Amino acid sequence: MFKQSTKPSSRDGQAVDTLIGPQVTIRGDIAFSGGLYVEGRIVGSVTAIEGERAVLMLAEQGSIEGEVHAPIVMIDGRLEGDVHATERVELAAKARVTGNVHYRVVEMHAGAQLTGRLVHADAASGQDTSTVLAFNAA
């Protein structure tokens, strides 16, 4: 009935452990580890389990309304809420983010839109490195 695959599926070079499909809406908070690929809609916070490897990938047609906490966050859809990435944030061409982005490394592709603050990880140590942006990379 279900085939066992020896090779994990992947999107954008990242292993996908959990897929939230385009017809799915989840209302509530999510805690995850591994690769979470969101094509649907989440209304609630999305948080990686502390100490676990975790990557959040938000597809072009996907959306999240809530706060995000994960080591690696890759956005190509719509996100309304703050992002806290301990390692890296990637904003792809169709990304539409309304909220503050807390990052160690950030990558923005042409076309990405960010309305909020970019806050570098060093800002937590008292250095003010935040930047107010209404940014449209074109």
Side-chain angles (χ1 to χ4, degrees):
M1 194 166 165
F2 294 103
K3 287 187 174 182
Q4 287 287 3
S5 175
T6 57
K7 180 180 170 190
S9 61
S10 67
R11 306 275 176 145
D12 299 326
Q14 302 290 331
V16 175
D17 300 303
T18 305
L19 170 67
I20 298 174
Q23 302 301 317
V24 176
T25 297
I26 295 177
R27 295 181 191 282
D29 298 339
I30 296 176
F32 76 101
S33 65
L36 173 60
Y37 191 82
V38 179
E39 293 179 327
R41 180 177 179 222
I42 298 173
V43 180
S45 68
V46 179
T47 304
I49 297 170
E50 185 99 15
E52 297 283 329
R53 180 193 66 78
V55 178
L56 171 64
M57 294 163 276
L58 181 60
E60 181 178 341
Q61 63 274 28
S63 70
I64 297 175
E65 297 168 37
E67 201 161 292
V68 170
H69 293 264
I72 299 172
V73 179
M74 302 166 69
I75 301 170
D76 200 19
R78 187 179 58 81
L79 193 146
E80 293 180 16
D82 290 352
V83 176
H84 300 265
T86 55
E87 292 180 28
R88 179 171 59 93
V89 175
E90 180 180 331
L91 302 176
K94 301 289 184 180
R96 304 294 180 260
V97 178
T98 303
N100 298 327
V101 176
H102 301 260
Y103 68 96
R104 185 165 305 282
V105 174
V106 64
E107 178 180 343
M108 294 182 75
H109 294 245
Q113 293 180 5
L114 169 62
T115 304
R117 288 181 179 262
L118 277 176
V119 183
H120 191 268
D122 289 340
S125 65
Q127 300 175 10
D128 184 13
T129 57
S130 64
T131 305
V132 177
L133 288 180
F135 189 83
N136 181 4

